[in-house]
Amino acid sequence: MRNLVLAFCLCASMAAVVGCGDESASSATPTESSSAESKSSSSSDEQLSSNSGPASSSNPASSSAEVKSSSSEAETPELSSAVTPASSETQTEKSSSSALGSGDDGKCTSCDSFTAADPELTENGGKGSVTTYGSITAKETSLGGACNYGQTNIQYYAAIHVNVSPGDDKGPWNGGAACGGCVHVKARTPDGWKEVTVRITDRCPDANCGVDLGGAPASDIMGINVGRYSGEWEFVSCEGVEGVWGDSTSIWVKEGASEFWSIIHVRNPKDMVKSITIYGVDTRDVHELEMVVGTENFWTVPQAVLQTDNRYRVVVKYRTSEDDEWKIKGSDLAVPEANLYLYEHRE
């Protein structure tokens, strides 16, 4: 009996030991630990692999990260496109504001305080500063300026720029070749574009000048708020334009002329003069005149013409418009300050 009790107790004790130590639970714990270590190791490997480059592409986790990164990048254009229209509108506004005939209304604020800058050449004119000289109240007529026209009755006149960049002589003045030509000027004002046509009688002294208007045309555009305006200009014919004519078209002989030396120019031309050619009527000689270097807007007459009473045709070609032609004696061009009107020397 005692032995049976001992046996029973021994069995109960063994059962208790087995029941307290769950084998499945204890075996699971090392497995989870191992898995965690494996993940940690894998994570470290991924980090190292990611830092080292190509190896990361084979790792699913890394690929997933790349997909996310790619997705983020793909979202970026949406943000970019959201701001693009405003940027485009700004660019369009800037572009249209500086183009002739672009639909820009020309309205501005602080119009008389345009920032000085080098003028810009265009196909038949330019863009840049529109300024003024002379009185906008008295509106004096032109005194001839560097074009050497002397006192005139021209009310609508202007100076044109000599340079594009300071000192380069690449502006339309070109040693006086622009003299007598007309320019249609547009300028921005608080009321929008205002326009005027002027004859070139002078060259700009201002390094950043584009077109420098005389008093009357400046008043038409600027009113009483004189200053530096933003504008555009285009060379045009003077025919039919009011205010740019001081008198009838004529050939004027410079003071000091003689049978040994004479230089001439055309006053009140239809447009800027491109060439002057003298053709013999009584003879067959032809003389292409050359512009004088240093004395702007004058052309040299050969001595052979000055020293004879032979008849000549003096043909003036303009930038635009039909040629003008005088019939004169050679010696007429040797008379100081002679003013040979076209209407008096035609056949």
Side-chain angles (χ1 to χ4, degrees), residues 228-257:
R228 186 180 296 274
Y229 283 65
S230 170
E232 307 171 2
W233 50 90
E234 181 180 19
F235 288 96
V236 297
S237 170
C238 298
E239 289 190 277
V241 179
E242 294 183 10
V244 302
W245 300 87
D247 201 349
S248 298
T249 303
S250 66
I251 289 176
W252 191 81
V253 183
K254 189 168 175 57
E255 62 273 11

Side-chain angles (χ1 to χ4, degrees), residues 276-298:
I276 301 178
T277 307
I278 298 178
Y279 298 90
V281 175
D282 298 324
T283 62
R284 293 187 178 181
D285 54 325
V286 177
H287 305 274
E288 284 282 352
L289 305 194
E290 295 183 359
M291 284 197 73
V292 179
V293 176
T295 305
E296 294 162 316
N297 190 33
F298 276 101

Side-chain angles (χ1 to χ4, degrees), residues 46-268:
E46 286 173 23
Q47 189 173 0
L48 288 171
S49 177
S50 172
N51 291 338
S52 63
S56 65
S57 62
S58 61
N59 189 300
S62 178
S63 297
S64 174
E66 287 176 2
V67 169
K68 286 181 180 178
S69 174
S70 174
S71 174
S72 297
E73 289 173 6
E75 291 170 3
T76 303
E78 293 183 16
L79 294 173
S80 176
S81 64
V83 297
T84 299
S87 176
S88 297
E89 286 173 8
T90 302
Q91 291 299 325
T92 303
E93 201 172 283
K94 286 181 180 178
S95 175
S96 66
S97 70
S98 61
L100 273 168
S102 62
D104 175 21
D105 63 10
K107 290 185 178 180
C108 58
T109 56
S110 301
C111 303
D112 56 346
S113 301
F114 179 62
T115 302
D118 290 343
E120 176 186 344
L121 296 178
T122 59
E123 184 177 357
N124 191 34
K127 301 177 183 179
S129 298
V130 176
T131 51
T132 182
Y133 68 104
S135 170
I136 62 166
T137 54
K139 300 182 181 180
E140 299 99 336
T141 55
S142 170
L143 297 177
C147 290
N148 294 293
Y149 291 137
Q151 177 67 57
T152 77
N153 292 317
I154 299 171
Q155 290 184 311
Y156 281 76
Y157 58 95
I160 196 78
H161 63 106
V162 176
N163 304 310
V164 175
S165 295
D168 66 5
D169 288 326
K170 292 184 178 179
W173 173 252
N174 191 22
C179 285
C182 283
V183 179
H184 183 72
V185 181
K186 293 175 60 175
R188 298 175 180 282
T189 77
D191 299 322
W193 291 112
K194 288 190 177 179
E195 308 177 27
V196 68
T197 299
V198 293
R199 189 186 287 276
I200 301 303
T201 62
D202 208 349
R203 55 182 165 85
C204 284
D206 182 353
N208 296 121
C209 174
V211 174
D212 198 18
L213 301 173
S219 177
D220 287 357
I221 286 180
M222 302 175 184
I224 60 172
N225 296 315
V226 298
R228 186 180 296 274
Y229 283 65
S230 170
E232 307 171 2
W233 50 90
E234 181 180 19
F235 288 96
V236 297
S237 170
C238 298
E239 289 190 277
V241 179
E242 294 183 10
V244 302
W245 300 87
D247 201 349
S248 298
T249 303
S250 66
I251 289 176
W252 191 81
V253 183
K254 189 168 175 57
E255 62 273 11
S258 70
E259 61 181 311
F260 302 104
W261 174 87
S262 178
I263 55 178
I264 62 175
H265 66 207
V266 181
R267 294 191 168 179
N268 298 290

